Amino acid sequence: MAEVKLLGTWPSPFYYRVVWVLKLKGIAYEFIEEDLNNKGPLLLQHNPVHKKIPVLIHSGKSICESMIILEYIQEIWPQNSLLPADPYDRAIARFWIKFAEDKVNPLAFAGFYGEEQKKAIRDSLEMLETTEEHALRDKTFFGGDKIDLVDIAFGQLSQWLQMVEDVTNVKLLDASKFPRLQRWINNFKQVPIIKENLPDYQEMFAYFKALRVMLLSSK
Amino acid sequence: MSDEIILLDFWSSPFAMRVRIALAEKGIEYEAREEDLSNKSSLLLKMNPVHKQIPVLIHKGRPVCESLIIVQYIDEVWSHKSPLLPSHPYHRANARFWADFVDKKIYPTGKLVWGATGEVQEAAKKELIESMKVLEGELGDKPYFGGESFGFTDVALIPFYTWFYSLETCGDFSIIANCPNLVAWAKRCMQRESVSKSLPDQYKVYCFLMELKKKFEAK
């Protein structure tokens, strides 16, 4: 029985966050794919409150909510540390992690059109401006010279944002307006663990294109 | 040195109350500055440019924002007294999970119970009662969410006790009838000086929330 199990679903960015951190820290785990349209007993047992993935099961105990899982992993396996050691710097990292949690959700954009979409565009641009000006500034990564949990939290701005832009034909992250973020995306996707663990772009595009058609036809 | 720590505060904010409680638990002296939220101070805008919200803890001139992040910061810097987060990573993850549950489930639905009307209010009331029962389930027989000691989840939730009168009056239901153990827990917390001195009177909060409700309805 594997000590570490991860319940997840392709192509959820929240599931990928945990994959990245487990691999960055060299932790072996067993992946269990959940069908979110037909939630299995393992998911319902280990996340009865929210019934969502990802769920980390470590020695039989379950941990839910991706960023809480990542802090847990960081504390149990401190090698290749992904959070600053200084409490103040850590508080700043957590601030940006929370900001990413609350404001960065490109996949939701796939379901919008009309007025809803216009508002979502405004909110997205505001989020990108704040991220570029206040969070990233002139650093290579949010974590400085190498990635940390803040980069992981903003990970959706890499593959997933571009995919949603292509599905909806709306450009949100214009490289000329957000040069630092564009550079970050390029650098982030080149980090070996990230590069080897991104969902296939074409597959994801096809999946969300079909999902968008379904969502819009039901409105 | 009391001017080393400044709290940008607002008397009725449950989020600010969390910080007041944490500071009191640790016996930390600080200067509380009440903000006029309709006319935010230049200090607030400078210290929290992203959200422009209280609470903000300013420690040696540097700001920490977001209530639960501030509480964790306080716990880490003043780690020798009254620890709020448990020491084992699994229990820490659990404490964070339930604090996050309060933010996701109690706060937004509570707002709709005292702030909305009609069907929206009814739906929120059902969801709120359900969420409170889930919390009661998690509490079980323990005196506090953290077990024998008052801790992080207790700090996260207890400020919402100041909403009980408003919730019951606006929602026309009894919290003690639905969740007697939760009310017993709240009264137990109120026996702690750190809590009783940090929470304003429920009726005063009700009058304030009703003023707020009128303002929103007028828009």
PDB file of all heavy atoms in Angstrom, chain B residues 17-50:
ATOM      1  N   MET B  17     -11.317  41.278  14.546  1.00  0.00           N
ATOM      2  CA  MET B  17     -11.453  40.655  15.874  1.00  0.00           C
ATOM      3  C   MET B  17     -10.498  39.480  16.011  1.00  0.00           C
ATOM      4  O   MET B  17      -9.927  39.248  17.075  1.00  0.00           O
ATOM      5  CB  MET B  17     -12.892  40.160  16.086  1.00  0.00           C
ATOM      6  CG  MET B  17     -13.888  41.270  16.368  1.00  0.00           C
ATOM      7  SD  MET B  17     -15.565  40.568  16.413  1.00  0.00           S
ATOM      8  CE  MET B  17     -16.475  41.849  15.543  1.00  0.00           C
ATOM      9  N   ARG B  18     -10.328  38.726  14.917  1.00  0.00           N
ATOM     10  CA  ARG B  18      -9.410  37.580  14.960  1.00  0.00           C
ATOM     11  C   ARG B  18      -8.019  38.030  15.398  1.00  0.00           C
ATOM     12  O   ARG B  18      -7.351  37.376  16.207  1.00  0.00           O
ATOM     13  CB  ARG B  18      -9.282  36.942  13.571  1.00  0.00           C
ATOM     14  CG  ARG B  18     -10.507  36.194  13.114  1.00  0.00           C
ATOM     15  CD  ARG B  18     -10.366  35.833  11.648  1.00  0.00           C
ATOM     16  NE  ARG B  18     -11.399  34.888  11.234  1.00  0.00           N
ATOM     17  CZ  ARG B  18     -11.584  34.496   9.976  1.00  0.00           C
ATOM     18  NH1 ARG B  18     -10.814  34.968   9.001  1.00  0.00           N
ATOM     19  NH2 ARG B  18     -12.550  33.646   9.679  1.00  0.00           N
ATOM     20  N   VAL B  19      -7.576  39.157  14.831  1.00  0.00           N
ATOM     21  CA  VAL B  19      -6.223  39.650  15.127  1.00  0.00           C
ATOM     22  C   VAL B  19      -6.153  40.152  16.569  1.00  0.00           C
ATOM     23  O   VAL B  19      -5.186  39.884  17.282  1.00  0.00           O
ATOM     24  CB  VAL B  19      -5.816  40.752  14.135  1.00  0.00           C
ATOM     25  CG1 VAL B  19      -4.410  41.231  14.428  1.00  0.00           C
ATOM     26  CG2 VAL B  19      -5.919  40.243  12.702  1.00  0.00           C
ATOM     27  N   ARG B  20      -7.201  40.879  16.999  1.00  0.00           N
ATOM     28  CA  ARG B  20      -7.234  41.371  18.383  1.00  0.00           C
ATOM     29  C   ARG B  20      -7.128  40.210  19.369  1.00  0.00           C
ATOM     30  O   ARG B  20      -6.418  40.275  20.358  1.00  0.00           O
ATOM     31  CB  ARG B  20      -8.540  42.121  18.652  1.00  0.00           C
ATOM     32  CG  ARG B  20      -8.594  43.522  18.077  1.00  0.00           C
ATOM     33  CD  ARG B  20      -9.918  44.177  18.457  1.00  0.00           C
ATOM     34  NE  ARG B  20     -10.622  44.651  17.289  1.00  0.00           N
ATOM     35  CZ  ARG B  20     -11.949  44.706  17.166  1.00  0.00           C
ATOM     36  NH1 ARG B  20     -12.727  44.294  18.128  1.00  0.00           N
ATOM     37  NH2 ARG B  20     -12.493  45.168  16.064  1.00  0.00           N
ATOM     38  N   ILE B  21      -7.863  39.143  19.079  1.00  0.00           N
ATOM     39  CA  ILE B  21      -7.847  37.973  19.962  1.00  0.00           C
ATOM     40  C   ILE B  21      -6.439  37.366  20.008  1.00  0.00           C
ATOM     41  O   ILE B  21      -5.909  37.071  21.086  1.00  0.00           O
ATOM     42  CB  ILE B  21      -8.872  36.909  19.501  1.00  0.00           C
ATOM     43  CG1 ILE B  21     -10.297  37.442  19.636  1.00  0.00           C
ATOM     44  CG2 ILE B  21      -8.716  35.621  20.325  1.00  0.00           C
ATOM     45  CD1 ILE B  21     -11.343  36.571  18.941  1.00  0.00           C
ATOM     46  N   ALA B  22      -5.839  37.196  18.835  1.00  0.00           N
ATOM     47  CA  ALA B  22      -4.498  36.589  18.778  1.00  0.00           C
ATOM     48  C   ALA B  22      -3.482  37.431  19.545  1.00  0.00           C
ATOM     49  O   ALA B  22      -2.664  36.903  20.311  1.00  0.00           O
ATOM     50  CB  ALA B  22      -4.062  36.413  17.329  1.00  0.00           C
ATOM     51  N   LEU B  23      -3.535  38.741  19.361  1.00  0.00           N
ATOM     52  CA  LEU B  23      -2.597  39.629  20.071  1.00  0.00           C
ATOM     53  C   LEU B  23      -2.815  39.531  21.580  1.00  0.00           C
ATOM     54  O   LEU B  23      -1.863  39.487  22.355  1.00  0.00           O
ATOM     55  CB  LEU B  23      -2.786  41.079  19.591  1.00  0.00           C
ATOM     56  CG  LEU B  23      -2.297  41.374  18.160  1.00  0.00           C
ATOM     57  CD1 LEU B  23      -2.851  42.701  17.650  1.00  0.00           C
ATOM     58  CD2 LEU B  23      -0.775  41.387  18.087  1.00  0.00           C
ATOM     59  N   ALA B  24      -4.090  39.472  21.995  1.00  0.00           N
ATOM     60  CA  ALA B  24      -4.393  39.385  23.426  1.00  0.00           C
ATOM     61  C   ALA B  24      -3.947  38.041  24.002  1.00  0.00           C
ATOM     62  O   ALA B  24      -3.409  37.979  25.107  1.00  0.00           O
ATOM     63  CB  ALA B  24      -5.887  39.594  23.648  1.00  0.00           C
ATOM     64  N   GLU B  25      -4.162  36.970  23.244  1.00  0.00           N
ATOM     65  CA  GLU B  25      -3.733  35.639  23.714  1.00  0.00           C
ATOM     66  C   GLU B  25      -2.234  35.617  24.005  1.00  0.00           C
ATOM     67  O   GLU B  25      -1.771  34.960  24.928  1.00  0.00           O
ATOM     68  CB  GLU B  25      -4.048  34.569  22.649  1.00  0.00           C
ATOM     69  CG  GLU B  25      -5.503  34.130  22.610  1.00  0.00           C
ATOM     70  CD  GLU B  25      -5.885  33.228  23.773  1.00  0.00           C
ATOM     71  OE1 GLU B  25      -5.119  32.311  24.121  1.00  0.00           O
ATOM     72  OE2 GLU B  25      -6.983  33.456  24.346  1.00  0.00           O
ATOM     73  N   LYS B  26      -1.491  36.345  23.191  1.00  0.00           N
ATOM     74  CA  LYS B  26      -0.029  36.368  23.339  1.00  0.00           C
ATOM     75  C   LYS B  26       0.446  37.457  24.293  1.00  0.00           C
ATOM     76  O   LYS B  26       1.650  37.586  24.533  1.00  0.00           O
ATOM     77  CB  LYS B  26       0.631  36.586  21.965  1.00  0.00           C
ATOM     78  CG  LYS B  26       0.262  35.569  20.907  1.00  0.00           C
ATOM     79  CD  LYS B  26       1.095  34.318  20.999  1.00  0.00           C
ATOM     80  CE  LYS B  26       0.767  33.364  19.875  1.00  0.00           C
ATOM     81  NZ  LYS B  26       1.611  32.164  19.915  1.00  0.00           N
ATOM     82  N   GLY B  27      -0.498  38.268  24.788  1.00  0.00           N
ATOM     83  CA  GLY B  27      -0.121  39.342  25.716  1.00  0.00           C
ATOM     84  C   GLY B  27       0.708  40.430  25.045  1.00  0.00           C
ATOM     85  O   GLY B  27       1.571  41.038  25.672  1.00  0.00           O
ATOM     86  N   ILE B  28       0.445  40.670  23.766  1.00  0.00           N
ATOM     87  CA  ILE B  28       1.229  41.655  23.011  1.00  0.00           C
ATOM     88  C   ILE B  28       0.577  43.021  23.119  1.00  0.00           C
ATOM     89  O   ILE B  28      -0.616  43.170  22.876  1.00  0.00           O
ATOM     90  CB  ILE B  28       1.313  41.245  21.524  1.00  0.00           C
ATOM     91  CG1 ILE B  28       2.037  39.898  21.392  1.00  0.00           C
ATOM     92  CG2 ILE B  28       2.032  42.303  20.691  1.00  0.00           C
ATOM     93  CD1 ILE B  28       1.834  39.229  20.052  1.00  0.00           C
ATOM     94  N   GLU B  29       1.399  44.022  23.440  1.00  0.00           N
ATOM     95  CA  GLU B  29       0.876  45.391  23.474  1.00  0.00           C
ATOM     96  C   GLU B  29       0.959  45.997  22.087  1.00  0.00           C
ATOM     97  O   GLU B  29       1.927  45.777  21.369  1.00  0.00           O
ATOM     98  CB  GLU B  29       1.728  46.231  24.438  1.00  0.00           C
ATOM     99  CG  GLU B  29       1.503  45.838  25.875  1.00  0.00           C
ATOM    100  CD  GLU B  29       1.888  46.958  26.833  1.00  0.00           C
ATOM    101  OE1 GLU B  29       2.418  47.990  26.379  1.00  0.00           O
ATOM    102  OE2 GLU B  29       1.664  46.745  28.025  1.00  0.00           O
ATOM    103  N   TYR B  30      -0.081  46.729  21.738  1.00  0.00           N
ATOM    104  CA  TYR B  30      -0.076  47.332  20.409  1.00  0.00           C
ATOM    105  C   TYR B  30      -0.960  48.563  20.407  1.00  0.00           C
ATOM    106  O   TYR B  30      -1.733  48.792  21.329  1.00  0.00           O
ATOM    107  CB  TYR B  30      -0.594  46.314  19.377  1.00  0.00           C
ATOM    108  CG  TYR B  30      -2.038  45.920  19.575  1.00  0.00           C
ATOM    109  CD1 TYR B  30      -3.065  46.517  18.824  1.00  0.00           C
ATOM    110  CD2 TYR B  30      -2.395  44.948  20.517  1.00  0.00           C
ATOM    111  CE1 TYR B  30      -4.391  46.140  19.014  1.00  0.00           C
ATOM    112  CE2 TYR B  30      -3.724  44.585  20.708  1.00  0.00           C
ATOM    113  CZ  TYR B  30      -4.712  45.179  19.951  1.00  0.00           C
ATOM    114  OH  TYR B  30      -6.022  44.803  20.140  1.00  0.00           O
ATOM    115  N   GLU B  31      -0.833  49.327  19.318  1.00  0.00           N
ATOM    116  CA  GLU B  31      -1.676  50.503  19.163  1.00  0.00           C
ATOM    117  C   GLU B  31      -2.758  50.169  18.140  1.00  0.00           C
ATOM    118  O   GLU B  31      -2.452  49.776  17.015  1.00  0.00           O
ATOM    119  CB  GLU B  31      -0.810  51.666  18.652  1.00  0.00           C
ATOM    120  CG  GLU B  31      -1.568  52.957  18.496  1.00  0.00           C
ATOM    121  CD  GLU B  31      -0.833  53.967  17.617  1.00  0.00           C
ATOM    122  OE1 GLU B  31       0.414  53.864  17.506  1.00  0.00           O
ATOM    123  OE2 GLU B  31      -1.506  54.825  17.031  1.00  0.00           O
ATOM    124  N   ALA B  32      -4.005  50.286  18.538  1.00  0.00           N
ATOM    125  CA  ALA B  32      -5.100  50.037  17.601  1.00  0.00           C
ATOM    126  C   ALA B  32      -5.533  51.357  17.014  1.00  0.00           C
ATOM    127  O   ALA B  32      -5.768  52.318  17.741  1.00  0.00           O
ATOM    128  CB  ALA B  32      -6.270  49.380  18.324  1.00  0.00           C
ATOM    129  N   ARG B  33      -5.606  51.418  15.687  1.00  0.00           N
ATOM    130  CA  ARG B  33      -6.085  52.647  15.040  1.00  0.00           C
ATOM    131  C   ARG B  33      -7.372  52.321  14.295  1.00  0.00           C
ATOM    132  O   ARG B  33      -7.369  51.533  13.344  1.00  0.00           O
ATOM    133  CB  ARG B  33      -5.043  53.167  14.051  1.00  0.00           C
ATOM    134  CG  ARG B  33      -3.823  53.721  14.736  1.00  0.00           C
ATOM    135  CD  ARG B  33      -3.005  54.567  13.801  1.00  0.00           C
ATOM    136  NE  ARG B  33      -1.670  54.756  14.352  1.00  0.00           N
ATOM    137  CZ  ARG B  33      -0.637  55.259  13.675  1.00  0.00           C
ATOM    138  NH1 ARG B  33      -0.797  55.611  12.402  1.00  0.00           N
ATOM    139  NH2 ARG B  33       0.531  55.400  14.248  1.00  0.00           N
ATOM    140  N   GLU B  34      -8.444  52.933  14.746  1.00  0.00           N
ATOM    141  CA  GLU B  34      -9.742  52.693  14.130  1.00  0.00           C
ATOM    142  C   GLU B  34      -9.793  53.420  12.787  1.00  0.00           C
ATOM    143  O   GLU B  34      -9.534  54.619  12.716  1.00  0.00           O
ATOM    144  CB  GLU B  34     -10.836  53.218  15.073  1.00  0.00           C
ATOM    145  CG  GLU B  34     -12.245  52.920  14.650  1.00  0.00           C
ATOM    146  CD  GLU B  34     -12.695  51.481  14.942  1.00  0.00           C
ATOM    147  OE1 GLU B  34     -11.934  50.726  15.579  1.00  0.00           O
ATOM    148  OE2 GLU B  34     -13.795  51.113  14.513  1.00  0.00           O
ATOM    149  N   GLU B  35     -10.118  52.669  11.724  1.00  0.00           N
ATOM    150  CA  GLU B  35     -10.221  53.271  10.397  1.00  0.00           C
ATOM    151  C   GLU B  35     -11.642  53.733  10.129  1.00  0.00           C
ATOM    152  O   GLU B  35     -12.605  53.111  10.596  1.00  0.00           O
ATOM    153  CB  GLU B  35      -9.846  52.231   9.320  1.00  0.00           C
ATOM    154  CG  GLU B  35      -8.359  52.045   9.133  1.00  0.00           C
ATOM    155  CD  GLU B  35      -7.709  53.196   8.393  1.00  0.00           C
ATOM    156  OE1 GLU B  35      -8.378  53.825   7.528  1.00  0.00           O
ATOM    157  OE2 GLU B  35      -6.535  53.490   8.678  1.00  0.00           O
ATOM    158  N   ASP B  36     -11.775  54.807   9.383  1.00  0.00           N
ATOM    159  CA  ASP B  36     -13.077  55.207   8.865  1.00  0.00           C
ATOM    160  C   ASP B  36     -13.144  54.605   7.472  1.00  0.00           C
ATOM    161  O   ASP B  36     -12.467  55.069   6.540  1.00  0.00           O
ATOM    162  CB  ASP B  36     -13.170  56.743   8.806  1.00  0.00           C
ATOM    163  CG  ASP B  36     -14.447  57.218   8.123  1.00  0.00           C
ATOM    164  OD1 ASP B  36     -15.248  56.367   7.673  1.00  0.00           O
ATOM    165  OD2 ASP B  36     -14.644  58.440   8.041  1.00  0.00           O
ATOM    166  N   LEU B  37     -13.927  53.524   7.312  1.00  0.00           N
ATOM    167  CA  LEU B  37     -13.898  52.792   6.042  1.00  0.00           C
ATOM    168  C   LEU B  37     -14.512  53.567   4.879  1.00  0.00           C
ATOM    169  O   LEU B  37     -14.352  53.180   3.722  1.00  0.00           O
ATOM    170  CB  LEU B  37     -14.541  51.409   6.205  1.00  0.00           C
ATOM    171  CG  LEU B  37     -13.779  50.502   7.179  1.00  0.00           C
ATOM    172  CD1 LEU B  37     -14.468  49.140   7.317  1.00  0.00           C
ATOM    173  CD2 LEU B  37     -12.332  50.304   6.737  1.00  0.00           C
ATOM    174  N   SER B  38     -15.223  54.661   5.190  1.00  0.00           N
ATOM    175  CA  SER B  38     -15.745  55.479   4.096  1.00  0.00           C
ATOM    176  C   SER B  38     -14.729  56.556   3.705  1.00  0.00           C
ATOM    177  O   SER B  38     -14.916  57.285   2.735  1.00  0.00           O
ATOM    178  CB  SER B  38     -17.062  56.141   4.511  1.00  0.00           C
ATOM    179  OG  SER B  38     -16.828  56.969   5.632  1.00  0.00           O
ATOM    180  N   ASN B  39     -13.651  56.629   4.467  1.00  0.00           N
ATOM    181  CA  ASN B  39     -12.619  57.638   4.217  1.00  0.00           C
ATOM    182  C   ASN B  39     -11.278  57.060   4.690  1.00  0.00           C
ATOM    183  O   ASN B  39     -10.744  57.467   5.713  1.00  0.00           O
ATOM    184  CB  ASN B  39     -12.973  58.922   4.982  1.00  0.00           C
ATOM    185  CG  ASN B  39     -12.031  60.061   4.654  1.00  0.00           C
ATOM    186  OD1 ASN B  39     -11.347  60.028   3.625  1.00  0.00           O
ATOM    187  ND2 ASN B  39     -11.955  61.048   5.539  1.00  0.00           N
ATOM    188  N   LYS B  40     -10.782  56.106   3.907  1.00  0.00           N
ATOM    189  CA  LYS B  40      -9.626  55.320   4.357  1.00  0.00           C
ATOM    190  C   LYS B  40      -8.372  56.171   4.473  1.00  0.00           C
ATOM    191  O   LYS B  40      -8.089  57.009   3.613  1.00  0.00           O
ATOM    192  CB  LYS B  40      -9.401  54.143   3.396  1.00  0.00           C
ATOM    193  CG  LYS B  40     -10.544  53.138   3.462  1.00  0.00           C
ATOM    194  CD  LYS B  40     -10.458  52.034   2.429  1.00  0.00           C
ATOM    195  CE  LYS B  40     -11.678  51.117   2.597  1.00  0.00           C
ATOM    196  NZ  LYS B  40     -11.717  50.027   1.624  1.00  0.00           N
ATOM    197  N   SER B  41      -7.613  55.908   5.531  1.00  0.00           N
ATOM    198  CA  SER B  41      -6.412  56.707   5.793  1.00  0.00           C
ATOM    199  C   SER B  41      -5.338  56.421   4.747  1.00  0.00           C
ATOM    200  O   SER B  41      -5.310  55.358   4.120  1.00  0.00           O
ATOM    201  CB  SER B  41      -5.860  56.380   7.181  1.00  0.00           C
ATOM    202  OG  SER B  41      -5.273  55.090   7.172  1.00  0.00           O
ATOM    203  N   SER B  42      -4.452  57.390   4.583  1.00  0.00           N
ATOM    204  CA  SER B  42      -3.358  57.198   3.624  1.00  0.00           C
ATOM    205  C   SER B  42      -2.456  56.056   4.090  1.00  0.00           C
ATOM    206  O   SER B  42      -1.873  55.347   3.274  1.00  0.00           O
ATOM    207  CB  SER B  42      -2.561  58.487   3.448  1.00  0.00           C
ATOM    208  OG  SER B  42      -2.120  58.951   4.701  1.00  0.00           O
ATOM    209  N   LEU B  43      -2.385  55.845   5.407  1.00  0.00           N
ATOM    210  CA  LEU B  43      -1.577  54.743   5.926  1.00  0.00           C
ATOM    211  C   LEU B  43      -2.156  53.395   5.479  1.00  0.00           C
ATOM    212  O   LEU B  43      -1.422  52.514   5.020  1.00  0.00           O
ATOM    213  CB  LEU B  43      -1.516  54.810   7.456  1.00  0.00           C
ATOM    214  CG  LEU B  43      -0.607  53.770   8.130  1.00  0.00           C
ATOM    215  CD1 LEU B  43       0.853  53.964   7.732  1.00  0.00           C
ATOM    216  CD2 LEU B  43      -0.742  53.828   9.657  1.00  0.00           C
ATOM    217  N   LEU B  44      -3.472  53.256   5.555  1.00  0.00           N
ATOM    218  CA  LEU B  44      -4.116  52.007   5.126  1.00  0.00           C
ATOM    219  C   LEU B  44      -3.870  51.768   3.643  1.00  0.00           C
ATOM    220  O   LEU B  44      -3.518  50.676   3.217  1.00  0.00           O
ATOM    221  CB  LEU B  44      -5.616  52.041   5.429  1.00  0.00           C
ATOM    222  CG  LEU B  44      -6.447  50.864   4.895  1.00  0.00           C
ATOM    223  CD1 LEU B  44      -5.926  49.521   5.399  1.00  0.00           C
ATOM    224  CD2 LEU B  44      -7.918  51.013   5.275  1.00  0.00           C
ATOM    225  N   LEU B  45      -4.036  52.834   2.847  1.00  0.00           N
ATOM    226  CA  LEU B  45      -3.877  52.686   1.397  1.00  0.00           C
ATOM    227  C   LEU B  45      -2.431  52.360   1.040  1.00  0.00           C
ATOM    228  O   LEU B  45      -2.167  51.638   0.083  1.00  0.00           O
ATOM    229  CB  LEU B  45      -4.328  53.971   0.691  1.00  0.00           C
ATOM    230  CG  LEU B  45      -5.801  54.341   0.908  1.00  0.00           C
ATOM    231  CD1 LEU B  45      -6.152  55.666   0.255  1.00  0.00           C
ATOM    232  CD2 LEU B  45      -6.731  53.248   0.378  1.00  0.00           C
ATOM    233  N   LYS B  46      -1.509  52.863   1.862  1.00  0.00           N
ATOM    234  CA  LYS B  46      -0.091  52.588   1.609  1.00  0.00           C
ATOM    235  C   LYS B  46       0.261  51.160   2.055  1.00  0.00           C
ATOM    236  O   LYS B  46       1.006  50.458   1.390  1.00  0.00           O
ATOM    237  CB  LYS B  46       0.758  53.599   2.382  1.00  0.00           C
ATOM    238  CG  LYS B  46       2.261  53.429   2.213  1.00  0.00           C
ATOM    239  CD  LYS B  46       3.009  54.505   2.987  1.00  0.00           C
ATOM    240  CE  LYS B  46       4.479  54.119   3.151  1.00  0.00           C
ATOM    241  NZ  LYS B  46       5.108  54.783   4.293  1.00  0.00           N
ATOM    242  N   MET B  47      -0.284  50.745   3.190  1.00  0.00           N
ATOM    243  CA  MET B  47       0.082  49.446   3.771  1.00  0.00           C
ATOM    244  C   MET B  47      -0.660  48.271   3.130  1.00  0.00           C
ATOM    245  O   MET B  47      -0.199  47.146   3.174  1.00  0.00           O
ATOM    246  CB  MET B  47      -0.177  49.453   5.286  1.00  0.00           C
ATOM    247  CG  MET B  47       0.767  50.386   6.031  1.00  0.00           C
ATOM    248  SD  MET B  47       2.417  49.679   6.144  1.00  0.00           S
ATOM    249  CE  MET B  47       3.425  51.121   5.970  1.00  0.00           C
ATOM    250  N   ASN B  48      -1.829  48.511   2.559  1.00  0.00           N
ATOM    251  CA  ASN B  48      -2.553  47.443   1.866  1.00  0.00           C
ATOM    252  C   ASN B  48      -3.055  47.963   0.529  1.00  0.00           C
ATOM    253  O   ASN B  48      -4.259  48.092   0.320  1.00  0.00           O
ATOM    254  CB  ASN B  48      -3.716  46.924   2.727  1.00  0.00           C
ATOM    255  CG  ASN B  48      -4.314  45.641   2.172  1.00  0.00           C
ATOM    256  OD1 ASN B  48      -3.949  45.177   1.089  1.00  0.00           O
ATOM    257  ND2 ASN B  48      -5.251  45.053   2.913  1.00  0.00           N
ATOM    258  N   PRO B  49      -2.135  48.244  -0.390  1.00  0.00           N
ATOM    259  CA  PRO B  49      -2.542  48.842  -1.670  1.00  0.00           C
ATOM    260  C   PRO B  49      -3.366  47.881  -2.531  1.00  0.00           C
ATOM    261  O   PRO B  49      -4.171  48.324  -3.343  1.00  0.00           O
ATOM    262  CB  PRO B  49      -1.201  49.156  -2.363  1.00  0.00           C
ATOM    263  CG  PRO B  49      -0.212  48.240  -1.732  1.00  0.00           C
ATOM    264  CD  PRO B  49      -0.672  48.046  -0.324  1.00  0.00           C
ATOM    265  N   VAL B  50      -3.198  46.591  -2.334  1.00  0.00           N
ATOM    266  CA  VAL B  50      -3.901  45.619  -3.179  1.00  0.00           C
ATOM    267  C   VAL B  50      -5.385  45.547  -2.831  1.00  0.00           C
ATOM    268  O   VAL B  50      -6.239  45.618  -3.699  1.00  0.00           O
ATOM    269  CB  VAL B  50      -3.248  44.224  -3.050  1.00  0.00           C
ATOM    270  CG1 VAL B  50      -4.048  43.165  -3.782  1.00  0.00           C
ATOM    271  CG2 VAL B  50      -1.819  44.268  -3.593  1.00  0.00           C
TER     272      VAL B  50
END
